[in-house]
Amino acid sequence: MTSAAIYARVSSARQKKDQTIGSQTQALREHAAQNRLEVPEEWVFEDEGHSGATLVRPALEALRDLAAQGCLDVILCYSPDRLARKFAYQALLIEEFTRAGVQVEFVKNGTRGDSPEDQLLVQFQGMFAEYEKAQLMERYRRGKAHRARTGSVNVLSGAPFGYRYVRKTDLAGAIYEIAEDEAVLVAELFRRYANEGASIADLARWLTSQGVPTRTGKHRWDRSVIWAMLRNPAYAGTAVFGKTMAVHQPAGLNRVARLQGRTTPRPVKTVDRPREEWTGIPVPAIVTKDTFDRVQQRLADNKRFAARNTKVPSLLQGLAACSACGYGYYRTYTRTTNKTIYYYRCLGSDDYRYEGGRVCHNQPVRADYLDTVVWDHITHLLADPALIRAEISKRLETARTSDPVTSQRKRLEAALAKATASISAMIEALAEQLITIDELRARMPHLRAREASLRRQIDALDAQAADRDAYLKLADDLEGFLARLHASTATATVEDRQRVLRLLVKDVLIGPEKITIRHRIPTRAGGASTSRHDTEPDTEGDHAPGYPLCWGRDQPLANECRIARAGKGRRGPVPNRRCPCRRHKTGLPDRG
């Protein structure tokens, strides 16, 4: 008996609640029974409350994994828009299932065959489904915008701290209702910030001490929550609809996510709309308009005159990060009787930032010592361009031998060899009269199509590898670039050194025992991006002594420097000693 799997999907929580997905599954089970298809219970895949505009769906992922294992013959789906709402996604999934030898059947309008006419009809259904989704989204957006302009609170999904959101009924629409116990705290929050000059950190500590949970149920108030509350015009009597919008751009990842190699499932991110496009909705006010305006003025002044705005630039600003927790390093300082000493400190080592205390125990680093080590490392590279040429050659060879594209090409070549062998076996079987000419004509087109598809994929990988080779061969770009930079290293200001570092250094990872400098090599303007080949860190002790950019023990003038560290907290520096290179001071004891 032919084995089959069932896939059903509904996109909204209301459809999930109304169990409309059950009607799809029932229709698919009846179709399977009529056509004598065997459907095991564990092969019924249902995505409840998942949009068809994305491929990241739990049940769909499990179905694709099952099809890739070669266990399936047929996939039953109610209609093309249940498989995906985008025509490109439908074509991708159907092609993927076909390559795995699985047939996809849509049963809403009757089973279709494999003729060109039937395939064209399925494609038209997919395009109509995508058009229908876009039309529904536009109608939904225009309807909500119209209701917002008429002052309806229904378009707001919830209420901020200080209000209760009363849902609409058959007799009345939704409203904001003031929560008296929370409104007292909100009014006091605005009064302290506007009249008494309290800082946002003071307000966060005060609300935490009150023992009142946040709107999300947390017992610790964060400064970002207080900042958002102080900017919310709903407290002055005007809630806002349409403050943000989704744009089709890759979402920005923080440093922790980038170091972990994470990616975003969809190229969509949320950005703020211009203020003139906001739509105001009247709601009950908790603070006066005058108080709210004074708070906004103080927030604007803080943004302009805050102490966090850099007045004295630091060399590694935006480049230093913690190798233990992934958070960035910021510059702080301590004062002695006659001078100010600057340090780089990990964000994760601050107790006040996290509810359970610090998440990292990496200690601060003397800024002047670390700046000296990193700058000397870069100037040593600029003094000898042969080092970077040798590094390019090494990475080119590594990319040719160990790049993920290489293993993917091997898999494709194995699949191509298997398809070619199958074609030869079919021809031999016909010659020996083991199969008929009709059976050969029925099976050969699929094998020929698979062979052609695999050859196209291999050609695409070869073209990609050629582009990578051309990108990595940068020796012609280095002579003039490095000569100009090296000529100005001795007299460069901090701002000039920052620009040089940001061209040559991706980031500086600070660890308990070593400092990792990850390089990038610039190309001419308009050339290829410089972020594709810097996957291997240049780390002390990670490579052989002859590695061009490492901190080898036999290259004291390059990087053999120990970084001075302060004790816990913000105490003063420890006594200075000379590092092994005899040029820099360090706060660590000599190792003999």
Side-chain angles (χ1 to χ4, degrees), residues 404-569:
V405 175
T406 304
S407 58
Q408 184 178 359
R409 193 181 194 281
K410 291 180 180 179
R411 291 195 298 268
L412 291 175
E413 288 176 345
L416 177 61
K418 184 178 179 180
T420 305
S422 299
I423 293 175
S424 301
M426 292 290 293
I427 296 174
E428 292 177 0
L430 177 65
E432 297 177 3
Q433 297 183 351
L434 298 178
I435 60 174
T436 64
I437 187 64
D438 294 333
E439 292 175 333
L440 179 65
R441 289 173 177 173
R443 299 181 185 180
M444 190 60 71
H446 172 70
L447 293 175
R448 292 291 188 188
R450 178 168 176 78
E451 182 185 30
S453 175
L454 291 171
R455 291 188 185 279
R456 287 194 299 270
Q457 294 181 52
I458 292 175
D459 293 340
L461 289 180
D462 291 340
Q464 181 180 351
D467 293 341
R468 183 192 60 232
D469 292 348
Y471 161 69
L472 288 176
K473 293 178 180 178
L474 301 174
D476 293 339
D477 290 349
L478 295 177
E479 283 290 352
F481 176 78
L482 296 181
R484 291 192 301 270
L485 289 179
H486 182 66
S488 60
T489 54
T491 59
T493 63
V494 175
E495 291 81 359
D496 294 335
R497 295 184 179 189
Q498 278 184 343
R499 286 192 287 270
V500 172
L501 281 184
R502 290 168 184 174
L503 283 172
L504 298 178
V505 176
K506 180 181 179 181
D507 50 26
V508 178
L509 302 181
I510 303 174
E513 299 295 335
K514 62 185 177 183
I515 306 299
T516 303
I517 303 177
R518 302 203 300 180
H519 304 84
R520 67 170 88 242
I521 301 176
T523 57
R524 295 189 183 99
S529 172
T530 60
S531 61
R532 288 171 48 190
H533 64 86
D534 48 11
T535 57
E536 290 295 330
D538 308 314
T539 308
E540 179 183 20
D542 286 356
H543 305 284
Y547 181 72
L549 298 182
C550 76
W551 294 348
R553 298 291 182 183
D554 58 344
Q555 301 180 36
L557 294 180
N559 293 305
E560 183 88 15
C561 302
R562 293 289 174 261
I563 308 302
R565 297 184 179 277
K568 294 183 178 180

Side-chain angles (χ1 to χ4, degrees), residues 244-253 264-272:
T244 60
M245 61 180 176
V247 295
H248 291 274
Q249 296 178 6
L253 297 176
T264 54
R266 289 188 293 169
V268 177
K269 68 177 181 180
T270 302
V271 298
D272 292 334

Side-chain angles (χ1 to χ4, degrees), residues 300-354:
D301 292 341
N302 282 350
K303 186 175 182 180
R304 181 180 179 185
F305 303 113
R308 66 177 175 271
N309 291 338
T310 302
K311 296 178 175 62
V312 179
S314 57
L315 184 63
L316 301 183
Q317 181 177 0
L319 293 176
C322 180
S323 62
C325 66
Y327 283 103
Y329 267 70
Y330 67 95
R331 192 182 66 176
T332 184
Y333 65 91
T334 184
R335 289 190 177 92
T336 62
T337 56
N338 58 353
K339 63 179 179 179
T340 299
I341 302 176
Y342 289 97
Y343 294 89
Y344 291 116
R345 183 180 177 88
C346 177
L347 284 168
S349 65
D350 292 335
D351 283 327
Y352 72 91
R353 296 182 186 272
Y354 310 97

Side-chain angles (χ1 to χ4, degrees), residues 102-247:
V102 181
Q103 180 183 358
V104 182
E105 293 186 4
F106 302 106
V107 304
K108 179 180 179 181
N109 296 320
T111 306
R112 301 291 177 182
D114 294 330
S115 65
E117 293 80 6
D118 292 332
Q119 294 180 3
L120 180 63
L121 179 58
V122 171
Q123 293 173 3
F124 274 125
Q125 289 176 342
M127 288 186 288
F128 287 143
E130 185 172 355
Y131 167 73
E132 181 185 9
K133 178 177 176 60
Q135 191 178 45
L136 288 174
M137 291 179 62
E138 178 62 16
R139 289 176 180 173
Y140 185 67
R141 184 195 65 81
R142 289 179 58 84
K144 289 188 69 174
H146 173 72
R147 289 195 297 272
R149 287 191 292 269
T150 60
S152 173
V153 182
N154 298 351
V155 297
L156 303 176
S157 58
F161 184 84
Y163 295 96
R164 282 189 294 269
Y165 184 81
V166 181
R167 297 183 177 276
K168 69 176 182 178
T169 63
D170 295 337
L171 302 177
I175 60 172
Y176 271 13
E177 184 179 86
I178 295 179
E180 297 296 340
D181 53 339
E182 297 179 354
V184 172
L185 296 176
V186 172
E188 180 66 12
L189 181 79
F190 276 82
R191 188 192 67 81
R192 292 191 179 201
Y193 191 78
N195 300 337
E196 298 182 2
S199 66
I200 292 180
D202 292 336
L203 295 176
R205 287 190 288 269
W206 169 69
L207 278 176
T208 301
S209 66
Q210 298 299 311
V212 179
T214 65
R215 182 45 50 92
T216 58
K218 298 180 180 179
H219 293 280
R220 180 181 178 274
W221 288 78
D222 193 78
R223 291 179 297 176
S224 61
V225 177
I226 306 298
W227 176 78
M229 291 176 62
L230 294 174
R231 296 175 66 246
N232 193 343
Y235 294 119
T238 304
V240 175
F241 171 78
K243 287 192 293 187
T244 60
M245 61 180 176
V247 295

Side-chain angles (χ1 to χ4, degrees), residues 16-62:
K16 178 180 178 181
K17 181 180 179 181
D18 295 340
Q19 297 182 346
T20 58
I21 197 170
S23 61
Q24 295 182 38
T25 306
Q26 182 62 29
L28 295 172
R29 288 183 184 275
E30 293 175 356
H31 175 83
Q34 293 173 2
N35 292 271
R36 303 187 64 184
L37 300 176
E38 181 183 3
V39 181
E41 190 61 34
E42 61 272 13
W43 286 6
V44 177
F45 300 94
E46 296 179 341
D47 275 319
E48 298 182 323
H50 290 272
S51 172
T54 176
L55 293 178
V56 184
R57 292 174 251 157
L60 180 60
E61 291 286 328

